[in-house]
Amino acid sequence: MRSPPAPRLVRVSTPEEFREPIPGDTADLGSRPPLHDACAPLRELVGVWRGEGEVDYPTIDGPFRFGQQVTVSHDGRPFLRHQARAWLLDAKGAVLRPAAWETGFWRPGTEGRVELLLTHATGLVDLFHGSAQPGRWELETDAVLGTPTAKQVEAARRTYALSEDLLDYAESRAMVGQPMTPHVSARLRRVPSGGRQDTP
Ligand code: HEM
């Protein structure tokens, strides 16, 4: 049997060569490329959002305050990229430590449906589907998968509601033996001029 051809190695040494040879994504609707028409039901989510929320659950010693930044960007194709990092705050608002980190994609569906795939640093993957109405997105999980070391999570519901430049969201989860119960809620504010992300 013939062996596959050896991969051609690309030499990368200067900062210019480290750049990916394709345009990066942008969280700024004013910059190019234009948003794909299929993303119209998700258009208002594109941007950088920063704010504060509260986390609690029957099994934890909460409630706790947290801060969060969410970036929703696109590269002109019919999906959005979603990245969110959170940090715990003390009662006075000082940063205590990093908290939840999730990354994924929003995908427009048909007839006002949307899909959201999220990977969590804690070994969990959510497959959400739901509805998109102007300024409101309601999602629930079709499936939650976990690695062998992840905590047990059965299902989740997440709602985003936009009012002017404020994005409120709330999430409930059925996990660690509890029924569907609120876990986090937050109010995020649009950060002006989101701009281009990782790559040029
Ligand atoms: C802004 C988002 C979130 C914040 C700030 C947050 C914060 C917390 C905190 C502070 C705890 C208590 C334990 C600890 O200190 O780590 C906790 C527990 C937990 N969270 Fe979250 N969380 C967030 C989102 C999520 C998401 C998206 C999931 C699932 C994908 C999740 C699943 C869990 C689980 C399974 C526990 C453990 C409960 C237990 O064992 O009693 N959390 N979370």
Side-chain angles (χ1 to χ4, degrees), residues 25 69-71 73 81-85 102-104 197-198:
D25 49 328
Q69 181 156 320
V70 179
T71 302
S73 57
R81 179 185 183 198
H82 172 113
Q83 303 166 81
R85 290 191 87 176
E102 65 184 30
T103 176
Q197 299 304 300
D198 301 349

Side-chain angles (χ1 to χ4, degrees), residues 55 59-60 66 68 97 100 120 151 171 173 175 183-184:
V55 50
T59 58
I60 70 177
F66 69 89
Q68 190 171 36
R97 62 173 172 87
H120 303 275
K151 293 253 181 170
E171 178 170 286
R173 288 200 174 250
M175 56 187 191
H183 184 40
V184 291

